[in-house]
Amino acid sequence: MSTQVQNNGVAASKTNTQPLWLLAEVTYRCPLHCAFCYNPTDYDKHTKNELSTEQWIQALRDARKLGALQLGISGGEPLIRDDIEEIVAEAGRLGYYTNLITSGVGLTEKRISAFKEGGLDHIQLSMHDITEEINNFITNTRTFELKKKVAAMIKDHGYPMVLNVVIHRYNIQHVKEILEMAEALGADFVELANTQYYGWSLVNRSQLMPTKEQIDEAEAVTNEFRKKVGNKMKIYFVVPDYFSDRPKKCMNGWGEVFMIVTANGDVLPCHSARVLPNMTFPNVKANGLKWVWEESPAFNKYRGDDWMKEPCRSCDEKEKDLGGCRCQAFLLSGDAEAADPVCTKSPHRHLIDEAIANAQKPHLKAQPIFFRNDKNSRKLIEGESRELVEEFHALP
Amino acid sequence: MSTISDNQDNATVAAGDIYALARHYRFQWEDAQQCYVLLFPEGMIKLNGGAGEVIKRVDGQRTVGDIVSDLQQAFPDVADLQSDIIAMLDLAVEKAWLEKRN
């Protein structure tokens, strides 16, 4: 009697899709420097031309008219902007179900009260580990104690608490303890998000990737924990696609249900679409969102399956995953229309297997992690550290 | 037509049960999609017409029996309405969209 939107198999066409999920990446500035961040490695270019408050409000209104319902306010760290209260209040008036996605840095009693008044529905807090050492190492900051304080503040104000924990080699063996911590903090939802390799995490792939055995163990521990806590705390374990033999149905299909407005106003069908070649993305400063969603060449480019080549075109599973992720296909194979290399039917699957094997080599483990910060972003833009991204077709 | 069970079996809602929307869930009409939706952290469910009519009546006050009678009055021509309503409520409870209040 109901339709689970994330799993609907609605055939793509520009007339029956709606941008139900709107992600507002309001800034790429961030006090944290996480090595697994999916933000663009050239984000430093987009830190000085951010949309104004009025432009964000207009974008929210336009997207709502198109049917947008779930709003994520993300970044970078959204709380770096001092107008999030205004944006939240407008989202509340418009009837969005609004989620603030934050590291917790910058969340004060005063701000959280204003968010409550403005109708913010929930807060997703990123946590990193049960140990101060690993939290501080992977984020390149000293934020461990602060995050625990923020978690308590979220709870005190009656918000549902959604903890997001990105999982990688350095914390995967602590999944049980992480879940115990989440339970102790009173989390309602926990997302154990295995690292996906885009942006900074792709640069650091060899240093972050766990082994297959570690993933299996983490999943077993999670299932065990689920039985124990039941519905009190919902746990999502996002399976990393490198370790499966079919790709994910990325974004539930290109231009199907997701729309992302980035800090400078570019509108994207997925987080990392700007890595794709020969694409011009629309921008809210110049284009209305209705045109962007329904008519723009960028949003229509990979809608449905007309663009597919073999082995996807004749594949009997093509509607299940729509060929996987266009960005991953391009970043790894150099061809944006190739099958996602995760698929064992892809002629590029060996690239995934090599990456998995490489990550286990001791000399790679010894390589320094390339943290997400303004200086490193400029190094990539200016070409100084281009050897880090060259093999991924991801030159800024 | 099935009858509503009176025993407190976890699998099935009972006539005397009172439910409310689970904490942090929101139920609203959407003009753009012409349907009711359930919104919650990290998800949303579009409800078809029948499901929307059931959830709309789940208010933390009415019993399951009240809801069934109310819907039977509102839709007198629909066959097997009661079993559909119970199946919908069972699903909603299993998915934790609803919380029991008594």
Side-chain angles (χ1 to χ4, degrees):
Chain A
M1 290 182 89
S2 64
T3 309
Q4 174 82 50
V5 172
Q6 280 151 315
N7 294 322
N8 69 2
V10 177
S13 100
K14 63 182 175 185
T15 51
N16 70 5
T17 60
Q18 281 176 324
L20 297 173
W21 297 74
L22 175 67
L23 184 66
E25 284 185 339
V26 293
T27 181
Y28 287 123
R29 291 173 287 154
C30 191
L32 274 68
H33 309 297
C34 303
F36 53 72
C37 185
Y38 71 75
N39 274 179
T41 49
D42 62 348
Y43 78 83
D44 193 56
K45 282 201 282 202
H46 307 298
T47 51
K48 286 146 202 98
N49 53 1
E50 291 177 3
L51 295 183
S52 66
T53 313
E54 293 67 34
Q55 286 168 323
W56 276 113
I57 284 176
Q58 192 59 48
L60 294 190
R61 288 177 182 163
D62 293 349
R64 187 76 183 100
K65 280 187 210 143
L66 291 174
L69 259 174
Q70 279 274 3
L71 171 67
I73 300 174
S74 178
E77 171 50 63
L79 295 175
I80 280 199
R81 288 181 64 124
D82 58 14
D83 60 357
I84 301 303
E85 288 82 345
E86 280 178 77
I87 292 171
V88 160
E90 180 66 16
R93 281 189 288 272
L94 290 168
Y96 279 104
Y97 194 84
T98 309
N99 175 19
L100 177 71
I101 301 165
T102 179
S103 67
V105 179
L107 194 61
T108 58
E109 285 286 342
K110 186 167 171 233
R111 296 197 83 179
I112 200 169
S113 299
F115 294 147
K116 194 83 193 174
E117 208 163 301
L120 182 67
D121 291 285
H122 71 115
I123 297 176
Q124 180 185 307
L125 176 66
S126 61
M127 300 283 276
H128 302 281
D129 197 40
I130 42 150
T131 71
E132 180 156 14
E133 291 73 18
I134 287 174
N135 175 87
N136 293 356
F137 168 67
I138 205 76
T139 64
N140 207 215
T141 56
R142 291 188 194 137
T143 48
F144 185 68
E145 288 303 324
L146 176 139
K147 280 173 180 290
K148 288 211 280 197
K149 276 187 205 137
V150 168
M153 204 193 295
I154 292 170
K155 206 68 194 165
D156 285 350
H157 284 259
Y159 282 105
M161 180 157 37
V162 183
L163 293 185
N164 180 287
V165 187
V166 175
I167 301 294
H168 43 73
R169 177 187 294 164
Y170 295 95
N171 62 6
I172 193 161
Q173 290 179 2
H174 303 158
V175 161
K176 180 159 177 274
E177 290 78 5
I178 289 170
L179 288 170
E180 283 166 356
M181 172 180 75
E183 191 185 8
L185 291 170
D188 299 283
F189 298 82
V190 182
E191 287 182 13
L192 299 173
N194 281 286
T195 305
Q196 303 271 3
Y197 300 102
Y198 302 94
W200 296 87
S201 58
L202 184 60
V203 171
N204 292 308
R205 186 175 64 177
S206 296
Q207 283 81 5
L208 297 173
M209 198 183 302
T211 64
K212 175 82 168 75
E213 292 68 35
Q214 285 175 315
I215 303 251
D216 292 344
E217 172 66 19
E219 194 166 13
V221 165
T222 303
N223 287 335
E224 206 47 44
F225 208 88
R226 273 198 193 112
K227 275 189 222 152
K228 199 185 89 179
V229 290
N231 271 335
K232 191 178 73 175
M233 182 169 96
K234 281 195 181 174
I235 309 171
Y236 301 97
F237 186 86
V238 185
V239 179
D241 56 0
Y242 273 46
F243 294 93
S244 56
D245 52 11
R246 289 291 177 271
K248 57 188 178 281
K249 187 180 186 185
C250 202
M251 311 312 290
N252 203 45
W254 181 276
E256 276 287 317
V257 289
F258 283 92
M259 182 160 73
I260 298 177
V261 180
T262 68
N264 71 334
D266 285 351
V267 193
L268 311 176
C270 80
H271 309 75
S272 70
R274 277 184 296 210
V275 301
L276 295 171
N278 312 316
M279 299 272 288
T280 308
F281 287 100
N283 189 291
V284 294
K285 290 172 190 163
N287 310 110
L289 284 182
K290 186 172 164 60
W291 177 85
V292 167
W293 182 260
E294 292 173 359
E295 306 292 335
S296 71
F299 273 78
N300 282 301
K301 184 147 184 176
Y302 298 118
R303 262 199 182 124
D305 56 17
D306 284 352
W307 56 271
M308 283 180 185
K309 46 169 88 162
E310 294 299 342
C312 295
R313 176 159 287 283
S314 61
C315 180
D316 60 4
E317 294 173 88
K318 70 178 174 185
E319 294 307 326
K320 259 192 231 162
D321 53 42
L322 289 170
C325 171
R326 295 304 87 222
C327 303
Q328 189 148 278
F330 176 71
L331 289 167
L332 301 184
S333 80
D335 178 358
E337 279 147 38
D340 187 327
V342 159
C343 186
T344 51
K345 297 180 185 180
S346 158
H348 300 108
R349 171 69 207 194
H350 66 97
L351 296 170
I352 300 286
D353 295 328
E354 281 159 25
I356 294 171
N358 275 341
Q360 313 317 325
K361 288 183 184 163
H363 73 277
L364 277 165
K365 286 184 192 166
Q367 264 185 19
I369 279 187
F370 198 65
F371 287 102
R372 176 209 193 276
N373 59 45
D374 300 354
K375 194 172 134 216
N376 283 343
S377 182
R378 283 195 293 274
K379 274 190 187 175
L380 289 171
I381 294 168
E382 287 155 15
E384 197 183 321
S385 302
R386 57 194 299 140
E387 75 283 355
L388 290 170
V389 286
E390 236 157 17
E391 69 164 303
F392 302 126
H393 309 274
L395 293 174
Chain B
M1 191 185 279
S2 62
T3 52
I4 310 177
S5 136
D6 284 321
N7 59 24
Q8 294 295 313
D9 181 353
N10 282 340
T12 307
V13 299
D17 289 354
I18 296 173
Y19 287 93
L21 218 52
R23 216 163 53 100
H24 311 316
Y25 279 60
R26 199 207 282 169
F27 172 75
Q28 68 187 36
W29 173 258
E30 278 300 299
D31 263 345
Q33 1 270 354
Q34 286 295 303
C35 67
Y36 285 103
V37 292
L38 263 182
L39 297 162
F40 50 96
E42 312 304 313
M44 73 175 96
I45 305 287
K46 282 194 203 179
L47 299 167
N48 68 16
E53 290 297 329
V54 176
I55 302 291
K56 191 166 83 176
R57 287 166 170 78
V58 175
D59 58 1
Q61 310 282 329
R62 284 187 261 200
T63 64
V64 169
D66 294 341
I67 291 171
V68 170
S69 323
D70 188 31
L71 281 161
Q72 280 171 336
Q73 277 188 349
F75 303 97
D77 302 331
V78 183
D80 278 343
L81 192 58
Q82 177 166 307
S83 56
D84 280 356
I85 296 166
I86 300 303
M88 174 63 212
L89 290 172
D90 277 343
L91 175 76
V93 170
E94 185 204 316
K95 298 272 186 192
W97 303 340
L98 304 180
E99 279 169 3
K100 198 159 178 290
R101 284 295 161 84
N102 64 342

